[in-house]
């Protein structure tokens, strides 16, 4: 699956890093761990590890760290953007914690990283499908992220 230039590997490693970032943000929220502690745990015990359940993908460690750190640093702004994208009666603290972590990770890429918004949306919709393969969550995630992306980076949508 690796192209001659290694782009496929890099894309897959970034995709894995996004999935890990969502898991790490979820874990931080539920356990109260710090960014440093959760990043260390994921880098040592998850990236490329093999367990009875199978092998974990190798992830782009730098992208993982950047997403987690920026999601935490920009959490207030990201949560406000998410709230505006949700129905007023459905604030961010009432949604599934995995989806909340996903919105925070995607929000980090939309607010303070150079990832094109359409790439961010597609990647995190895929992450939603990985967590909720039989549900409608991916459509919900797509709609909310589209709204967030248009707010955070309107210039990317004007044509």
């Amino acid at each position: 699956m690796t192209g001659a230039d290694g782009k496929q590997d890099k894309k897959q490693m970034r995709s894995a890093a996004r999935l890990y970032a969502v898991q790490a943000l979820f874990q931080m929220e539920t356990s109260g761990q710090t960014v440093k502690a959760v990043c260390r745990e994921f880098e040592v015990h998850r990236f490329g590890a093999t367990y009875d359940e199978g092998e974990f993908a190798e992830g782009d460690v730098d992208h993982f760290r950047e997403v987690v750190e920026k999601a935490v640093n920009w959490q207030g702004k990201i949560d406000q953007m998410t709230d505006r994208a949700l129905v007023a009666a459905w604030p961010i603290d009432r949604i599934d914690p995995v989806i909340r972590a996903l919105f925070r990770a995607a929000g980090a890429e939309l607010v303070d990283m150079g990832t094109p918004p359409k790439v961010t949306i597609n990647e995190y919709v895929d992450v939603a499908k990985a967590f909720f393969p039989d549900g409608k969550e991916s459509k919900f995630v797509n709609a909310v992220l589209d709204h967030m992306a248009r707010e955070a980076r309107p210039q990317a949508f004007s044509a």
Side-chain angles (χ1 to χ4, degrees):
M1 286 197 194
T2 305
D5 57 5
K7 279 191 176 184
Q8 189 62 35
D9 272 351
K10 186 157 181 77
K11 182 183 181 310
Q12 289 176 333
M13 288 177 72
R14 283 224 168 158
S15 294
R18 289 178 175 105
L19 182 81
Y20 290 144
V22 170
Q23 291 174 322
L25 290 166
F26 170 83
Q27 185 170 320
M28 286 173 62
E29 182 177 336
T30 58
S31 71
Q33 285 180 286
T34 65
V35 170
K36 187 176 180 178
V38 81
C39 284
R40 186 178 332 107
E41 178 185 328
F42 272 75
E43 291 165 23
V44 171
H45 298 291
R46 305 241 181 141
F47 281 59
T50 303
Y51 295 103
D52 291 339
E53 323 64 82
E55 186 175 331
F56 286 87
E58 196 60 56
D60 180 329
V61 174
D62 293 333
H63 194 75
F64 165 77
R65 282 185 197 148
E66 187 175 15
V67 170
V68 172
E69 288 171 6
K70 290 188 178 195
V72 171
N73 291 342
W74 290 100
Q75 183 175 324
K77 180 176 182 166
I78 293 165
D79 285 358
Q80 289 172 358
M81 284 175 38
T82 305
D83 275 340
R84 286 190 290 273
L86 296 167
V87 179
W90 202 250
I92 190 168
D93 61 344
R94 288 193 56 208
I95 63 173
D96 183 279
V98 172
I99 293 178
R100 187 168 46 245
L102 184 149
F103 288 150
R104 288 174 178 159
E109 294 203 41
L110 293 170
V111 169
D112 196 26
M113 295 174 69
T115 311
K118 290 178 182 179
V119 171
T120 300
I121 293 167
N122 288 335
E123 286 287 319
Y124 285 98
V125 166
D126 286 347
V127 170
K129 289 176 183 173
F131 284 113
F132 304 98
D134 301 322
K136 296 179 182 174
E137 289 84 356
S138 62
K139 291 178 182 175
F140 171 66
V141 165
N142 186 59
V144 172
L145 290 182
D146 183 68
H147 189 281
M148 290 171 65
R150 289 175 188 277
E151 178 181 333
R153 309 260 289 280
Q155 69 280 9
F157 294 91
S158 58

